[in-house]
Amino acid sequence: PNALLKYNNNGDLIWKKDVTTNTRTNGFDCSIKQVLCSTDENIIVSAGGDTVSDSQDKVIIKYDKNGNLIWKKSVPTYYDNGETRYYRISTTNINNNNEIIVGANGSTDSSSKSLLKYDSNGNLIWNKKIPTYTDYGSTYFYRIASMSLLKDNSIIIGANCGTLREDSTTPNALLKYNNNGDLIWKKD
C-alpha cells in the first residue's frame, strides 16, 4: 500500500501510516501527490485514488508529527456534462498561517479548475475558479501547473493553456491572487 514513513536522523523507521481516501480504503488504491510540513510541525499530505482520473475522490490529510491522524478532508467535486467529477490535485502549499492552498484541475481543458484554501482545521475557506481563455471561438480554463506563495501569503500560479492547436496564439499565463483568493492580475 501507499504509505507515509518517518525516519530519524540515522535512517531508522520511526512510524508508518497507510494513506487512504474517504472512499478508497485500500492503501493500494490511493496515490500520494505531495507531502509538506507546516511550521507547527504537522504533516500535510495530498492524495487520491488514481490521480489521473476524475472518478475517484482526492483528499487533503493532516497528521501530527507522531503520525496520528488529525483530519482528512475530501477535495470538492465539480459537474461536467451532468456528471459529478473529482478535481485532480495539481499542487499544494502551506502559507505563513498554516493554511493549505490547493491547485485543483478538472480532467479536460473545458472543465473547471479551482484554487482552494483550507484553514489549519481542514475547513474549506474558499474555492475560486481559475480564469478562462478563448482559442478559435472555444472557451477553456487555464490549467494550474505550479504555485508559489509570497511572504504576504499572496499566491502566484503558473497556468498552462492545455491542449492548443498548432497555430494558436493563446499564451500561458501567470496569475496573482491575494490571501482572500481575489485575482489581482493576470500576465500572458
Side-chain angles (χ1 to χ4, degrees):
N2 291 296
L4 184 64
L5 309 170
K6 182 175 180 180
Y7 293 89
N8 65 19
N9 291 337
N10 296 322
D12 302 316
L13 181 65
I14 297 172
W15 50 256
K16 173 188 171 212
K17 300 292 177 180
D18 289 341
V19 176
T20 62
T21 69
N22 289 318
T23 61
R24 310 290 282 189
T25 56
N26 179 342
F28 290 105
D29 293 335
C30 184
S31 299
I32 296 172
K33 176 68 177 168
Q34 201 165 359
V35 177
L36 302 165
C37 294
S38 60
T39 58
D40 58 0
E41 298 186 1
N42 289 311
I43 302 158
I44 305 298
V45 176
S46 57
D50 184 9
T51 57
V52 298
S53 169
D54 60 359
S55 63
Q56 299 172 9
D57 74 327
K58 313 300 184 280
V59 293
I60 306 299
I61 309 167
K62 185 175 185 178
Y63 297 93
D64 68 17
K65 65 182 178 181
N66 297 313
N68 299 307
L69 177 68
I70 298 173
W71 51 256
K72 182 189 304 185
K73 302 289 182 168
S74 290
V75 171
T77 58
Y78 68 96
Y79 295 96
D80 187 31
N81 294 324
E83 293 185 36
T84 301
R85 301 283 186 189
Y86 292 97
Y87 281 110
R88 298 180 200 172
I89 297 171
S90 174
T91 184
T92 308
N93 217 321
I94 303 171
N95 70 16
N96 299 331
N97 301 325
N98 290 319
E99 296 166 325
I100 300 131
I101 313 298
V102 177
N105 290 322
S107 61
T108 66
D109 292 342
S110 60
S111 60
S112 181
K113 317 295 188 270
S114 281
L115 192 59
L116 313 168
K117 182 178 179 180
Y118 294 86
D119 67 19
S120 62
N121 295 316
N123 300 307
L124 183 64
I125 299 171
W126 46 252
N127 177 347
K128 303 291 181 165
K129 300 293 182 220
I130 297 298
T132 59
Y133 64 93
T134 302
D135 188 46
Y136 288 93
S138 295
T139 301
Y140 303 99
F141 286 90
Y142 283 102
R143 283 188 187 160
I144 300 169
S146 61
M147 174 175 45
S148 291
L149 302 181
L150 302 178
K151 290 181 182 180
D152 66 354
N153 288 331
S154 58
I155 305 157
I156 304 293
I157 298 290
N160 292 335
C161 292
T163 308
L164 293 176
R165 293 169 32 153
E166 196 172 295
D167 57 349
S168 175
T169 59
T170 303
N172 294 324
L174 284 176
L175 310 170
K176 182 177 182 179
Y177 291 84
N178 66 18
N179 193 40
N180 296 319
D182 301 317
L183 181 63
I184 304 300
W185 50 252
K186 174 180 148 305
K187 304 290 183 186
D188 294 334

